[in-house]
Amino acid sequence: MSTGNDVWKADATSNIYDYKLIQFRLEHLAEVRDSGDVAELIYLLRSGLLRNLGGIGDPRLFSRSYLGTKSLIEDYLNQVVTQLQYIQRNDFEVLSPQQKVEFFHDTRQSFGNTALLLEGGATFGLFHLGVVKALSEHHLLPRIISGSSVGALIAALVCVHTEQDLPCIFQPGGINLKAFAKKGIKGNITRKITRLLKYGYLMDVKVLEDCVRSNVGDLTFEEAYARSKRVLNITVASTRKYEVPRLLNYLTAPNVLIWSAACASAAVMGLYESVDLLAKDNYGNIVHWSPSAISWSDSSCESDSPEIRLAEQFNVNHFILSQANPYIAPFLSKCPQGQGDSLSDKLFIFLSSEIRHRLHQLAQIGLMPRTLQTLFEQRAQGHITIAPPLSSMDFYQLFSNPTYASLNYWILKGEQSTWPFLSFIRSRTKIELALDKGNQ
């Protein structure tokens, strides 16, 4: 029996996307494939591979069913992947092995890459683990991952593990929390208040360093890339006034220790003390990466966006954002079809734009601290944005030390928040993944 969703999927017509263009492309690809003209097929693929061709990536096309979209769009994507596999798996007289390599390389470069961004969140940042778990289990986890603040800790943990080893961290006891367990719960609030009044920050960064180091080890960015082939990016900023934030990865900081970079990124003003970046020298000794006079901290309050650097260094043009910042996440839609379209999203965009404008005006006349100004300049949404549903009790635990119970709670919440987006993500990355296989 056909449901209303089945009827909607079977009906190709819609004013949301150019269904006539997609129908023409689908038929043309099939005709050229049947003719056996490989040169023409390659020309056709090279000239029309766009992630959002004809508007097929519009979130509204995923408003009727979480299990797919218009059948015409699915057929088109499947046809493109089939033709790419046909070229990859067969030999042709008109296409030398070198030309085949160049075809996949150039087409991949033109199509662009997807990156997963993990944005902050204090304790809410554990939510990122659930997002990663859901994407990994459905073979949709991007190879390029960038993290800031608590998101940097999760990105580091993920990127030091291979595809085969990654599921282990989601198992009971898969993440070592002994460093936090040593502190215990008794007197937790009193310790934090005392530390804040005496030193200016709530949390003990030494405990964080012990925890991250016990899970990540003394791997550098270059060593982690060689092990997992994942491109880890961590954003940090110098506490010097005119230092620009830096995107650390295996290209820009190959010898920097990942655990020190992750802790530096998590050093939010008032939450953790600023830390030094450490690196391995040519003999494997651990040394300061930069002069000790420079300390490093969270870059989420810097206006120089990591997305720009990811685009420059890794050809990223598509961002999946896991957004756990407590002052942003509550206002975001929790399903793909509502992103940017719901009343709350429109109100949030309007208010944040107005606040940014007013803060910029105050900054121009010297009346606004730069930290407050740039707080609202962060990217709140990506091409796909996954945010957790938050309750009042969640905010009560915002600065609590992680426990295995809280890990399970946030992993499940991350998975549940990601599931509605899986079909949307699969549609937007299907061709990219096929091109990746062709490049291997």
Side-chain angles (χ1 to χ4, degrees), residues 155-312:
L157 179 63
V158 171
C159 289
V160 299
H161 288 86
T162 64
E163 198 71 33
Q164 295 74 25
D165 295 337
L166 185 60
C168 296
I169 70 173
F170 306 113
Q171 301 301 317
I175 299 176
N176 188 342
L177 297 179
K178 290 181 180 179
F180 291 104
K182 292 176 183 177
K183 288 290 182 179
I185 300 176
K186 186 176 180 180
N188 190 27
I189 296 177
T190 303
R191 282 200 310 271
K192 286 181 171 61
I193 294 175
T194 302
R195 192 182 296 116
L196 178 64
L197 295 175
K198 189 173 181 179
Y199 300 108
Y201 49 88
L202 278 172
M203 316 287 280
D204 187 352
V205 75
K206 298 300 182 185
V207 176
L208 180 67
E209 289 176 340
D210 289 345
C211 179
V212 179
R213 194 172 188 179
S214 66
N215 285 282
V216 174
D218 286 335
L219 286 176
T220 66
F221 282 92
E222 188 173 51
E223 291 168 344
Y225 176 72
R227 170 189 287 187
S228 69
K229 299 305 178 185
R230 303 185 195 278
V231 182
L232 170 63
N233 299 268
I234 293 178
T235 55
V236 296
S238 167
T239 52
R240 286 185 175 179
K241 184 175 181 180
Y242 295 110
E243 292 281 351
V244 297
R246 300 191 181 187
L247 184 69
L248 306 181
N249 53 53
Y250 79 96
L251 294 178
T252 62
N255 299 320
V256 169
L257 296 180
I258 289 174
W259 70 262
S260 74
C263 291
S265 185
V268 181
M269 182 178 60
L271 186 60
Y272 285 108
E273 180 185 9
S274 297
V275 301
D276 294 328
L277 285 175
L278 302 177
K280 288 182 181 178
D281 63 16
N282 293 332
Y283 303 99
N285 301 314
I286 296 178
V287 297
H288 286 285
W289 186 57
S290 57
S292 58
I294 301 179
S295 56
W296 301 83
S297 61
D298 167 42
S299 69
S300 62
C301 293
E302 293 285 349
S303 59
D304 189 7
S305 155
E307 293 93 323
I308 296 174
R309 308 227 172 168
L310 287 170
E312 293 171 347

Side-chain angles (χ1 to χ4, degrees), residues 12-30:
T13 61
S14 173
N15 60 0
I16 299 176
Y17 76 112
D18 191 344
Y19 63 91
K20 293 181 179 179
L21 172 63
I22 302 305
Q23 184 69 53
F24 172 77
R25 291 280 301 180
L26 175 60
E27 293 173 355
H28 196 184
L29 279 169

